[in-house]
């Protein structure tokens, strides 16, 4: 089976699994317990936290169950804590549902929301962002890499802009961490990471933050600096730190991206959706007059696994909000498929995809 759906989830690395199993077997005590085994578990937890702080150049790390929880905590926790300074928040139409729905919840609490449109390549307009800033703006939320089409946003430039205005900046880095180089001299105030997108484990993630305080959005025993109550999963934290240390941009992604762009440009009725200057591990294309689900199913029969625009919207019969926001022509919007590389992807996989797509395309089109 050829797996090319790595933006939905990745296969865990053996080193990550080994770390997870070892901690579960040997350091299974509750890190909040006062006995020696508890102290050993706490030491491991804090070592993992320190390693991640050093990698990200951020002051605080809160371990979460994944990107969705981290996004909820970042947005709701910041907004509620600083509503005395203002109640205006800015985000963009192409954000992940965990951001957009958190924003919707805040709007129902009386916060004012500006949802900025994007261009046809999913790109943002910094001038429009500047013009949308107000004296009562407290927070801007923007993903680094769009999970559906791979658009890369100028995070460092926006971080500098907002710092001058004393406006907090949240970045969902789920699709960029470990795949793109980060300018650690211009980090946002809040950064979301998910373990299973970088060959780590599902159910693990984190919120890293600096220069901002949060209000807790769940309550209990006060673990994780009182920001995320509940017994901390030390094995997940250690495995996540391991995955982050192992993650690194792969130069082959660019080669494969360009190779597939050239390949798909040879088909009548196939449109490349991902921008040329986007993230190289994501290539989204659309086939005129077809449904993406048909292509996904056809390729699966050829032992090639891809997805429609995203795992979060692939089971929805309607086009995703991202596809609608970029203004993809009507005849293409239902035929969107996403190919995404991971660290286990090989050149043989790319060649297999090409051959499989040719067969499926010809069969469906009756060529």
């Amino acid at each position: 089976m050829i797996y090319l759906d790595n933006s939905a989830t990745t296969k865990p690395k053996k080193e990550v699994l080994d770390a997870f199993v070892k901690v579960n077997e040997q350091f299974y005590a509750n890190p909040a317990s006062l006995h020696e085994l508890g102290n050993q578990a706490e030491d491991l937890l804090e070592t993992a936290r320190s390693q991640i702080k050093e990698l990200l150049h951020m002051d605080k790390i809160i371990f979460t169950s994944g990107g969705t929880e981290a996004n909820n905590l970042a947005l709701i926790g910041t907004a509620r804590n600083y509503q005395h300074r203002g109640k205006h928040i800015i985000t963009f139409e192409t954000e992940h549902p965990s951001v957009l729905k958190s924003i919707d919840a805040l709007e129902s609490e009386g916060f004012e929301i500006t949802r900025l449109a994007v261009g046809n390549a999913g790109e943002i307009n910094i001038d429009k962002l500047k013009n949308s800033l107000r004296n009562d703006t407290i927070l801007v939320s923007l993903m680094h890499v769009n999970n559906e089409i791979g658009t890369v946003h100028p995070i460092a430039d926006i971080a500098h802009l907002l710092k001058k205005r004393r406006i907090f900046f949240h970045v969902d880095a789920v699709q960029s961490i470990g795949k793109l180089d980060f300018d650690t001299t211009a980090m946002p105030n809040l950064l979301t990471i998910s373990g299973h997108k970088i060959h780590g484990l599902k159910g693990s993630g984190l919120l890293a933050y600096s220069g901002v305080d949060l209000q807790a959005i769940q309550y209990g025993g006060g673990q994780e600096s009182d920001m995320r109550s509940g017994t901390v999963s030390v094995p997940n934290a250690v495995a996540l730190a391991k995955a982050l240390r192992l993650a690194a941009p792969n130069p082959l992604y660019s080669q494969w991206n360009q190779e597939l762009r050239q390949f798909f440009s040879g088909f009548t009725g196939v449109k490349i959706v991902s921008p040329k200057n986007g993230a190289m591990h994501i290539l989204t294309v659309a086939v005129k007059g077809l449904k993406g689900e048909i292509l996904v199913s056809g390729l699966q029969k050829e032992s090639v696994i891809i997805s429609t625009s995203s795992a979060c919207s692939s089971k929805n019969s309607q086009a995703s909000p991202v596809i609608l926001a970029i203004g993809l022509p009507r005849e293409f919007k239902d035929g969107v498929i996403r190919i995404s590389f991971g660290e286990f992807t090989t050149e043989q996989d790319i060649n297999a995809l090409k051959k499989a797509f040719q067969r499926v395309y010809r069969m469906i089109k009756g060529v």
Side-chain angles (χ1 to χ4, degrees), residues 71 75 90-100 118 122-124 140-156 158 169-177 180 182 188 190-192 282 310 312 322 338:
N71 281 341
L75 296 170
I90 300 174
T91 191
F92 297 82
E93 291 181 347
T94 49
E95 296 304 301
H96 189 270
S98 61
V99 167
L100 295 177
V118 298
E123 78 281 10
I124 69 162
V140 173
S141 181
L142 172 66
M143 59 171 52
H144 190 182
V145 169
N146 184 271
N147 58 306
E148 296 191 31
I149 62 174
T151 307
V152 180
H153 299 302
I155 297 305
I158 297 170
F169 186 28
H170 166 248
V171 170
D172 179 339
V174 165
Q175 289 290 347
S176 62
I177 198 75
L180 274 65
F182 261 79
L190 305 117
L191 189 78
T192 294
I282 296 174
S310 82
C312 297
V322 172
R338 182 186 64 184

Side-chain angles (χ1 to χ4, degrees), residues 52-61 187-191 208-210:
I52 297 170
K53 283 182 184 179
E54 186 175 349
L55 285 170
L56 300 179
H57 294 241
M58 299 290 272
D59 293 339
K60 297 179 181 179
I61 305 294
M187 295 294 279
N189 300 100
L190 305 117
L191 189 78
Y209 58 107
S210 296

Side-chain angles (χ1 to χ4, degrees), residues 2-14:
I2 308 300
Y3 184 75
L4 293 169
D5 193 20
N6 289 278
S7 286
T9 196
T10 57
K11 177 183 177 180
K13 289 182 177 177
K14 185 179 184 303

Side-chain angles (χ1 to χ4, degrees), residues 16-38:
V16 174
L17 289 171
D18 288 346
F20 178 77
V21 170
K22 181 178 180 179
V23 176
N24 268 301
E25 288 179 341
Q26 299 181 22
F27 302 97
Y28 49 82
N30 190 324
S33 297
L34 297 178
H35 49 65
E36 183 180 354
L37 290 179

Side-chain angles (χ1 to χ4, degrees), residues 51-316:
Q51 290 171 343
I52 297 170
K53 283 182 184 179
E54 186 175 349
L55 285 170
L56 300 179
H57 294 241
M58 299 290 272
D59 293 339
K60 297 179 181 179
I61 305 294
I62 301 299
F63 291 109
T64 68
S65 63
T68 290
E69 184 188 342
N71 281 341
N72 274 252
L73 176 59
L75 296 170
I76 298 173
T78 301
R80 288 177 178 170
N81 201 51
Y82 289 95
Q83 58 186 313
H84 62 282
R85 280 174 38 177
K87 301 191 75 171
H88 181 232
I89 299 170
I90 300 174
T91 191
F92 297 82
E93 291 181 347
T94 49
E95 296 304 301
H96 189 270
S98 61
V99 167
L100 295 177
K101 291 187 178 182
S102 294
I103 292 291
D104 290 346
L106 288 169
E107 189 171 36
S108 71
E109 295 179 14
F111 287 86
E112 293 185 60
I113 310 300
T114 297
R115 299 172 179 85
L116 293 175
V118 298
N120 290 337
E123 78 281 10
I124 69 162
N125 185 312
I126 293 186
D127 288 333
K128 285 185 179 179
L129 172 59
K130 287 180 182 177
N131 293 335
S132 299
L133 299 176
R134 307 182 338 198
N135 290 335
D136 62 341
T137 304
I138 57 170
L139 178 64
V140 173
S141 181
L142 172 66
M143 59 171 52
H144 190 182
V145 169
N146 184 271
N147 58 306
E148 296 191 31
I149 62 174
T151 307
V152 180
H153 299 302
I155 297 305
D157 293 343
I158 297 170
H160 287 304
L161 167 68
L162 297 179
K163 186 175 182 180
K164 294 176 184 177
R165 300 286 296 265
R166 296 183 66 244
I167 297 170
F168 298 119
F169 186 28
H170 166 248
V171 170
D172 179 339
V174 165
Q175 289 290 347
S176 62
I177 198 75
K179 300 176 180 71
L180 274 65
D181 290 320
F182 261 79
D183 181 357
T184 54
T185 66
M187 295 294 279
N189 300 100
L190 305 117
L191 189 78
T192 294
I193 292 174
S194 178
H196 76 104
K197 305 291 189 178
I198 53 171
H199 301 280
L201 304 177
K202 296 172 185 64
S204 67
L206 64 85
L207 176 65
Y209 58 107
S210 296
V212 61
D213 293 319
L214 305 176
Q215 186 179 119
I217 62 173
Q218 67 182 59
Y219 310 98
Q223 292 89 342
E224 290 298 278
S225 302
D226 208 22
M227 286 297 107
R228 205 253 180 179
S229 290
T231 301
V232 183
S233 173
V234 179
N236 276 36
V238 171
L240 179 53
K242 185 75 170 181
L244 278 168
R245 296 201 309 276
L246 293 173
N250 187 338
L252 289 173
Y253 294 167
S254 178
Q255 174 187 318
W256 295 334
N257 191 293
Q258 297 306 316
E259 192 177 320
L260 287 174
R261 283 176 181 274
Q262 185 175 0
F263 169 75
F264 285 116
S265 66
F267 290 84
T268 302
V270 175
K271 181 180 180 63
I272 297 172
V273 179
S274 294
K276 287 184 178 180
N277 60 349
M280 291 295 103
H281 66 288
I282 296 174
L283 183 65
T284 300
V285 302
V287 180
K288 185 177 180 179
L290 288 181
K291 285 190 174 293
E293 293 88 343
I294 294 174
L295 291 165
V296 169
S297 177
L299 286 168
Q300 180 174 281
K301 291 177 181 177
E302 297 285 336
S303 298
V304 175
I305 303 299
I306 61 165
S307 68
T308 52
S309 53
S310 82
C312 297
S313 62
S314 60
K315 293 185 179 180
N316 191 326

